[in-house]
Amino acid sequence: MDRAKVRALAEERLDWRFKAVPAAGWGRTVAEYLATGPTLDDLGTPLVTLDAGALEHNLATMAAWCAKAGVGLAPHGKTTMAPALWQRQLDAGALAITLANLPQLHVARAFGLRRIHLANTLLDPAGLRWLAAELAADPELRFASWVDSVRSVELMAEALRGAPAPVAVCVELGAPGARTGCRTPAEAQAVARAVHAAPELRLAGVSGYEGAVAHDATPASLAAVAGYLDAMAELHRLLLAEGLFETEEVWLTAGGSAYFDTVVERLAPLGDHRTTVVLRSGAYLAHDDGFYRGISPLARPGADATPFRSALHGWARVVSRPEPGLALLDGGKRDFSFDEGFPEPQLVRGRGRLAGGRITALNDQHAFLRQAEVRVGEVVRLGLSHPCTVFDRWTLIPVLDSAEAELPRVVDLVRTYF
């Protein structure tokens, strides 16, 4: 990435556009505001914060795990859409950043990102022409996207006709009833042959997403994931034997943040001097107190690494106690994730851990906290589930030295671009 552009984020001037920043910070740059030594108590509610120690722990834990497993990592940048965090992942050894759509590619290139894996099929003609121009202007740019049909190959080739260089693509294997991707290895093999025949494209690997075939860690789900990955391995062998790969380095890539251990078990043996097995986990960096806490491979019995730690927390103030057993907090759907479970009440600022209590509903701007001993005006810390739907609600996220400290200090502000 262009480090100068990442560093320049510290010079952005704060104002009313950033809902995490109090009025006292308006008019200052990020660097100037941090120099004032703000603390959590200087910030308003509702609020989402990151924990510096947990971020560093998760970053180092995943990098070490991948190194030990002998696989690469191209973390999914869509989770955070935060170039400063992408830079940290690259500095920790990531091979590339994975993205999901054209607007995200625009952000990446604005910050000079040069190794991009698009876990999607790019068919927009204007977007493909823009990509071709980017590749022509920057010889160091390495890019690959996905294809899952002969028709998508034809459309890409048509849009790229006359481009100075071919675009690398991976053929995507899916599964019946799941998301995108060819439904059988034989179908994917036909798509790979179409790529091989198109001078505008070159076949760079096999891709897939095992998280589309399961959503928990039951034996049946783990078996379904293993079977899907075995089909990916079969496809890779077929294409390799037929000589269809056209790049010096071939990627065999899968792996979200839920089943990356099974990906390594099933695919890592195929890595060699030409084939690199690459995980695309993204949520591991922030982790959570919900879905990923319950399904992460490092939280399962017998895991060979320290579990990830949740770096994400919500903070909301009690604004009403309208009836016994019910408190209303000033944060809701516009502030916190809720697609993989409601926020988890954890502690009350100044009083410690919260005994009991649960969030039973969220409105746009309110959370319904029941059966908790809290008073109007108190601030409750909330554990959040599914980081992918937290970051997109906040354009600037304060980073605390420790969310467990008596008075957490704000040590950074992370800028997101959604």
Side-chain angles (χ1 to χ4, degrees), residues 76 78 81 98-108 116-122 124 130 143 417-418:
H76 214 318
K78 74 175 176 64
M81 285 307 295
T98 298
L99 296 169
N101 59 30
L102 183 60
Q104 293 173 12
L105 292 181
H106 291 160
V107 174
I116 301 171
H117 188 82
L118 183 68
N120 210 337
T121 302
L122 180 58
D124 176 74
W130 168 82
F143 173 88
Y417 293 88
F418 284 92

Side-chain angles (χ1 to χ4, degrees), residues 300-388:
R300 293 180 200 147
D304 60 352
T306 304
F308 298 126
R309 291 161 44 191
S310 177
L312 269 177
H313 297 97
W315 305 84
R317 195 176 308 271
V318 181
V319 292
S320 178
R321 289 295 309 266
E323 60 188 62
L326 173 63
L328 278 300
L329 310 182
D330 66 352
K333 292 179 181 179
R334 300 294 180 90
D335 312 296
F336 310 132
S337 57
F338 57 94
D339 60 314
E340 292 287 357
F342 288 138
E344 172 187 275
Q346 294 179 333
L347 58 80
V348 178
R349 287 281 297 129
R351 282 208 290 124
R353 294 287 165 180
L354 191 58
R358 61 192 180 96
I359 302 293
T360 60
L362 291 177
N363 290 161
D364 280 359
Q365 314 292 176
H366 292 93
F368 290 68
L369 174 59
R370 296 188 183 274
Q371 307 305 320
E373 294 301 319
V374 293
R375 298 185 292 270
V376 170
E378 290 186 315
V379 174
V380 178
R381 192 184 84 186
L382 303 168
L384 304 176
S385 181
H386 197 196
C388 295

